[in-house]
Coordinates of all heavy atoms in Angstrom, one line a residue:
L61 N 112.7 82.1 78.2 CA 114.1 82.4 78.4 C 115.0 81.2 78.0 O 116.0 81.4 77.3 CB 114.4 82.7 79.9 CG 115.8 83.1 80.2 CD1 116.3 84.3 79.5 CD2 116.0 83.3 81.7
I62 N 114.6 80.0 78.3 CA 115.4 78.8 77.9 C 115.4 78.7 76.4 O 116.4 78.4 75.8 CB 114.8 77.6 78.6 CG1 115.0 77.6 80.1 CG2 115.4 76.3 78.0 CD1 114.4 76.5 80.9
L63 N 114.2 78.9 75.8 CA 114.1 78.8 74.3 C 115.0 79.8 73.6 O 115.6 79.5 72.6 CB 112.7 78.9 73.9 CG 111.8 77.7 74.3 CD1 110.3 78.0 73.8 CD2 112.2 76.4 73.7
V64 N 115.0 81.0 74.1 CA 115.8 82.1 73.5 C 117.3 81.7 73.7 O 118.1 81.9 72.8 CB 115.5 83.4 74.1 CG1 116.5 84.5 73.7 CG2 114.0 83.9 73.7
L65 N 117.7 81.3 74.9 CA 119.1 80.9 75.1 C 119.5 79.7 74.3 O 120.6 79.7 73.8 CB 119.3 80.6 76.6 CG 119.1 81.7 77.6 CD1 119.3 81.2 79.0 CD2 120.1 82.8 77.3
R66 N 118.5 78.9 74.0 CA 118.8 77.7 73.1 C 119.0 78.2 71.7 O 119.9 77.6 71.0 CB 117.6 76.8 73.2 CG 117.9 75.5 72.4 CD 116.6 74.6 72.5 NE 116.8 73.3 71.8 CZ 115.9 72.4 71.6 NH1 114.7 72.6 72.2 NH2 116.2 71.3 70.9
E67 N 118.4 79.2 71.3 CA 118.6 79.7 69.9 C 120.0 80.2 69.7 O 120.6 80.1 68.6 CB 117.6 80.9 69.6 CG 116.2 80.5 69.4 CD 116.0 79.7 68.1 OE1 116.7 80.0 67.1 OE2 115.3 78.7 68.1
F68 N 120.6 80.7 70.8 CA 122.0 81.2 70.7 C 123.0 80.2 71.2 O 124.1 80.5 71.5 CB 122.1 82.5 71.5 CG 121.3 83.6 70.9 CD1 120.0 83.9 71.3 CD2 121.9 84.4 69.9 CE1 119.3 85.0 70.7 CE2 121.2 85.5 69.3 CZ 119.9 85.7 69.7
N69 N 122.5 78.9 71.3 CA 123.4 77.8 71.7 C 124.0 78.0 73.1 O 125.1 77.5 73.4 CB 124.5 77.6 70.7 CG 124.0 77.2 69.4 OD1 123.0 76.4 69.3 ND2 124.6 77.7 68.3
I70 N 123.3 78.7 74.0 CA 123.8 78.9 75.3 C 123.3 77.7 76.2 O 124.0 77.2 77.1 CB 123.3 80.2 75.9 CG1 123.9 81.4 75.1 CG2 123.7 80.4 77.4 CD1 123.5 82.8 75.5
V71 N 122.1 77.3 76.0 CA 121.5 76.2 76.7 C 121.0 75.2 75.6 O 120.2 75.5 74.7 CB 120.3 76.6 77.6 CG1 119.6 75.4 78.2 CG2 120.8 77.5 78.7
D72 N 121.5 74.0 75.7 CA 121.1 72.9 74.8 C 121.2 71.6 75.6 O 122.3 71.1 75.9 CB 122.0 72.8 73.6 CG 121.4 71.9 72.5 OD1 120.5 71.1 72.9 OD2 121.9 72.0 71.4
A73 N 120.0 70.9 75.8 CA 120.0 69.7 76.6 C 120.8 68.6 75.9 O 121.1 67.6 76.6 CB 118.6 69.3 76.9
T74 N 121.0 68.7 74.6 CA 121.7 67.6 73.9 C 123.2 67.7 74.0 O 123.9 66.8 73.6 CB 121.2 67.6 72.4 OG1 121.7 68.8 71.8 CG2 119.7 67.4 72.3
K75 N 123.7 68.8 74.5 CA 125.1 69.0 74.6 C 125.4 69.4 76.0 O 125.0 70.4 76.6 CB 125.6 70.2 73.7 CG 125.3 69.9 72.2 CD 125.8 71.0 71.3 CE 125.6 70.7 69.8 NZ 126.1 71.8 69.0
F76 N 126.3 68.6 76.6 CA 126.6 68.7 78.0 C 127.3 70.1 78.3 O 127.0 70.7 79.3 CB 127.5 67.6 78.5 CG 127.9 67.6 79.9 CD1 127.0 67.3 80.9 CD2 129.2 68.1 80.3 CE1 127.3 67.3 82.2 CE2 129.5 68.1 81.6 CZ 128.6 67.8 82.6
S77 N 128.2 70.5 77.5 CA 129.0 71.7 77.7 C 128.1 72.9 77.7 O 128.2 73.8 78.6 CB 130.1 71.9 76.7 OG 129.5 71.9 75.4
T78 N 127.2 73.0 76.8 CA 126.3 74.2 76.7 C 125.3 74.2 77.9 O 124.9 75.2 78.4 CB 125.5 74.2 75.4 OG1 124.8 73.0 75.2 CG2 126.5 74.5 74.2
L79 N 124.9 72.9 78.3 CA 124.0 72.8 79.4 C 124.6 73.3 80.7 O 124.0 74.0 81.5 CB 123.5 71.4 79.6 CG 122.6 71.1 80.7 CD1 121.3 71.8 80.5 CD2 122.3 69.6 80.8
V80 N 125.9 73.0 80.8 CA 126.7 73.4 82.0 C 126.8 74.9 82.0 O 126.7 75.6 83.0 CB 128.1 72.7 82.1 CG1 128.9 73.4 83.1 CG2 127.9 71.2 82.3
T81 N 127.1 75.5 80.8 CA 127.2 76.9 80.7 C 125.9 77.6 81.1 O 125.9 78.6 81.8 CB 127.6 77.3 79.2 OG1 128.8 76.6 78.9 CG2 127.8 78.8 79.1
G82 N 124.8 77.1 80.5 CA 123.5 77.7 80.8 C 123.2 77.6 82.3 O 122.7 78.5 82.9
A83 N 123.5 76.4 82.8 CA 123.2 76.2 84.3 C 124.1 77.1 85.1 O 123.6 77.6 86.2 CB 123.5 74.7 84.6
S84 N 125.3 77.4 84.7 CA 126.2 78.3 85.4 C 125.6 79.7 85.5 O 125.6 80.4 86.5 CB 127.6 78.3 84.8 OG 128.1 77.0 84.9
I85 N 125.1 80.1 84.3 CA 124.5 81.5 84.2 C 123.3 81.6 85.1 O 123.1 82.5 85.9 CB 124.2 81.8 82.8 CG1 125.4 81.9 82.0 CG2 123.4 83.1 82.7 CD1 125.2 82.1 80.5
V86 N 122.4 80.6 85.0 CA 121.2 80.6 85.8 C 121.5 80.5 87.3 O 120.9 81.1 88.1 CB 120.3 79.4 85.4 CG1 119.1 79.3 86.3 CG2 119.8 79.6 84.0
G87 N 122.6 79.6 87.6 CA 123.0 79.5 89.0 C 123.5 80.8 89.6 O 123.3 81.1 90.7
L88 N 124.3 81.5 88.8 CA 124.8 82.8 89.2 C 123.7 83.8 89.5 O 123.7 84.4 90.6 CB 125.8 83.3 88.1 CG 126.4 84.7 88.5 CD1 127.3 84.6 89.7 CD2 127.2 85.2 87.3
I89 N 122.7 83.9 88.6 CA 121.6 84.8 88.8 C 120.8 84.4 90.0 O 120.4 85.2 90.9 CB 120.7 84.8 87.6 CG1 121.5 85.4 86.4 CG2 119.5 85.7 87.8 CD1 120.7 85.3 85.1
A90 N 120.5 83.1 90.1 CA 119.7 82.5 91.2 C 120.4 82.7 92.6 O 119.8 83.0 93.6 CB 119.4 81.1 91.0
G91 N 121.8 82.6 92.6 CA 122.5 82.7 93.8 C 122.4 84.1 94.4 O 122.4 84.3 95.6

Side-chain angles (χ1 to χ4, degrees):
L61 179 61
I62 293 174
L63 292 176
V64 171
L65 293 176
R66 185 180 179 183
E67 284 295 322
F68 292 92
N69 297 323
I70 297 176
V71 174
D72 190 348
T74 63
K75 296 181 180 179
F76 180 76
S77 60
T78 56
L79 181 62
V80 171
T81 304
S84 300
I85 295 174
V86 174
L88 179 62
I89 297 174

